[in-house]
Amino acid sequence: MKKRALITGVTGQDGSYLAELLLAKGYEVHGLIRRASTFNTARIDHLYVDPHDPDAKLFLHYGDLSDGARLVTLLASINPDEVYNLAAQSHVRVSFDEPEHTADTTGTGTVRLLEAVRLSGIETRFYQASSSELYGATPPPQNEETRFYPRSPYAAAKLYSYWITKNYREAYDMFAVNGILFNHESPRRGETFVTRKITRAVAAIKAGRQEFVYMGNLDAVRDWGYAAEYVEGMWRMLQADVPDDYVLATGTGITVREFIEISFGHAGLNWEDHVRFDERYLRPTEVDALIGDPSKAREKLGWTPTIDGRQLAKIMVDADITALEHAGDPWIDTVHLDSWGTK
Ligand code: NAP
Ligand code: GDD
């Protein structure tokens, strides 16, 4: 029997890779999308088939994690075997500007979806996109037993989501799991996260379209993996015999500075000629170092990542150089993105 999945956040980086993976596995995939005045489906357009076509396997539904009633009716009508809750206001710096909105989407949104599962009476497996941001001020290496110490409104909202997911597992015997994912990137990464901001800037500087990129804290350490490999881990968590929580990480950490050095070097550029500091990109409270220990996922799920931050920098630079070569106008360069405010 063909399985059916619902993905919230299907238009995001991870949602697009997960939709690809599930379609390749023969799933019927349903995605929740927000109504916007402009199209927000660029990352999944290549997967879309007109729903009138008998071969269509991807179906999109308007909805929002702030609208609980909609979630109940949608779940009852789709009746999915698996629900992946990837939707969130996912930018840490932005969460300091919009703490209440972040709490509503990234925190309360999760309990709305869990309640929708419970109230609609469906039998489904539930994946919650938890985050290494939960560890915050606790030094690495971090695993499933490490103490949480959130350092942003985003992380505090994700902490609520982590515990409410665990609570629904224990209280209602739901197959509900937390994937505690360390940073994962790709050529589809949102343009204002640090890796993509850097690799887009490298492409634009190499092409002579801009001279400088303005950055914040270069000393932060992150464990960057490849998003396409991480969605495989999400899927494996929902195929396990028992529900449990897992860290997905590469186990290797590098600084933002090193990511910059590798990215500029790969394009034959000297980063010190082009990178400038702007305090706008600092956070009121920073997470200094995240390096995960993925032993449990390796042993229990057989999940092993193969690409780390150093390799990713080169993959993403190559992709952004190619994208820029093929981009018509308007090309929104990172200088313009920067001028839109704090990111
Ligand atoms: P992303 O690219 O920012 O995508 C976020 C998705 O959530 C988008 O589809 C967005 O829709 C949707 N969304 C935002 N607010 C919503 C709302 N109120 N109702 C419904 N949908 C809403 O994030 P990502 O990198 O793919 O990450 C996926 C999830 O994993 C997020 O929950 C993130 O916090 C978490 N996570 C990410 C990482 C990472 O390194 N990438 C690590 C750990 C955890 P629009 O396209 O309309 O904006
Ligand atoms: N965005 C950004 N822009 N970050 C910068 C900049 C800049 O100009 N300069 C330095 N940084 C530093 C940040 O201070 C942070 O320490 C690091 O680069 C990574 O920032 P982001 O790429 O914005 O990611 P994040 O680690 O804060 O959050 C991401 O990973 C989390 C998992 O650990 C997001 O994807 C979250 O949704 C996710 O939960």
Side-chain angles (χ1 to χ4, degrees):
M1 267 267 290
K2 186 163 61 177
K3 276 195 182 175
R4 208 175 299 132
L6 171 67
I7 304 174
T8 74
V10 73
T11 56
Q13 172 191 255
D14 291 6
S16 69
Y17 283 112
L18 181 63
E20 258 168 33
L21 178 81
L22 297 181
L23 288 168
K25 288 184 183 295
Y27 280 58
E28 180 178 299
V29 176
H30 294 256
L32 187 79
I33 61 167
R34 299 197 284 180
R35 194 269 158 184
S37 67
T38 51
F39 288 118
N40 56 4
T41 54
R43 291 189 180 102
I44 51 171
D45 282 347
H46 63 290
L47 300 175
Y48 194 73
V49 173
D50 187 316
H52 301 100
D53 188 321
D55 291 333
K57 292 199 179 66
L58 173 65
F59 302 93
L60 302 178
H61 309 267
Y62 284 118
D64 197 295
L65 284 192
S66 61
D67 184 351
R70 173 64 173 149
L71 297 176
V72 176
T73 51
L74 210 49
L75 276 165
S77 70
I78 297 170
N79 193 12
D81 301 288
E82 296 169 12
V83 174
Y84 296 85
N85 184 30
L86 310 186
Q89 190 303 91
S90 71
H91 203 287
V92 173
R93 179 65 189 85
V94 171
S95 79
F96 288 97
D97 301 328
E98 299 185 15
E100 195 177 327
H101 168 72
T102 303
D104 190 42
T105 301
T106 307
T108 312
T110 305
V111 76
R112 286 195 193 98
L113 193 57
L114 284 163
E115 266 300 87
V117 169
R118 197 172 73 84
L119 294 173
S120 57
I122 61 168
E123 274 285 320
T124 192
R125 295 187 169 204
F126 185 94
Y127 174 87
Q128 170 56 23
S130 283
S131 165
S132 51
E133 274 289 304
L134 297 176
Y135 300 118
T138 307
Q142 294 110 350
N143 68 17
E144 294 80 0
E145 306 306 320
T146 304
R147 188 172 73 107
F148 295 142
Y149 190 147
R151 294 269 285 172
S152 65
Y154 167 82
K158 282 285 184 189
L159 186 71
Y160 173 76
S161 288
Y162 171 91
W163 282 113
I164 200 68
T165 299
K166 229 173 153 89
N167 180 247
Y168 271 59
R169 178 161 85 213
E170 293 168 2
Y172 304 116
D173 207 19
M174 244 185 222
F175 194 109
V177 308
N178 285 288
I180 308 171
L181 271 52
F182 283 63
N183 299 49
H184 45 279
E185 320 293 308
S186 73
R188 297 184 202 168
R189 185 57 146 152
E191 290 85 347
T192 61
F193 295 97
V194 77
T195 54
R196 189 76 199 290
K197 178 172 168 178
I198 293 163
T199 61
R200 272 172 57 93
V202 167
I205 291 166
K206 177 88 179 157
R209 294 205 188 206
Q210 79 184 59
E211 193 175 358
F212 301 115
V213 61
Y214 294 86
M215 306 294 307
N217 174 21
L218 303 191
D219 295 322
V221 173
R222 289 292 183 275
D223 176 337
W224 282 295
Y226 180 39
E229 296 187 330
Y230 283 49
V231 299
E232 167 78 26
M234 295 176 189
W235 176 77
R236 287 187 186 211
M237 285 180 217
L238 289 197
Q239 314 313 308
D241 292 335
V242 288
D244 204 350
D245 306 324
Y246 296 91
V247 159
L248 298 187
T250 72
T252 305
I254 58 173
T255 59
V256 173
R257 182 178 292 99
E258 191 176 348
F259 192 95
I260 290 175
E261 263 169 20
I262 296 168
S263 301
F264 278 81
H266 186 59
L269 298 166
N270 177 8
W271 71 275
E272 283 163 311
D273 295 338
H274 302 284
V275 175
R276 296 286 180 269
F277 172 72
D278 186 337
E279 65 179 9
R280 167 195 301 181
Y281 302 110
L282 298 179
R283 287 131 194 229
T285 39
E286 174 64 293
V287 170
D288 294 330
L290 295 172
I291 306 173
D293 168 9
S295 308
K296 182 176 169 184
R298 188 175 55 238
E299 284 155 23
K300 298 211 166 163
L301 303 175
W303 180 83
T304 321
T306 63
I307 296 176
D308 68 12
R310 293 184 177 91
Q311 292 159 286
L312 264 172
K314 295 176 186 170
I315 292 168
M316 290 172 67
V317 165
D318 288 340
D320 273 322
I321 287 175
T322 304
L324 185 50
E325 281 165 3
H326 292 92
D329 287 331
W331 163 260
I332 302 173
D333 64 37
T334 47
V335 168
H336 289 122
L337 273 174
D338 281 353
S339 68
W340 290 347
T342 53
K343 299 200 179 72

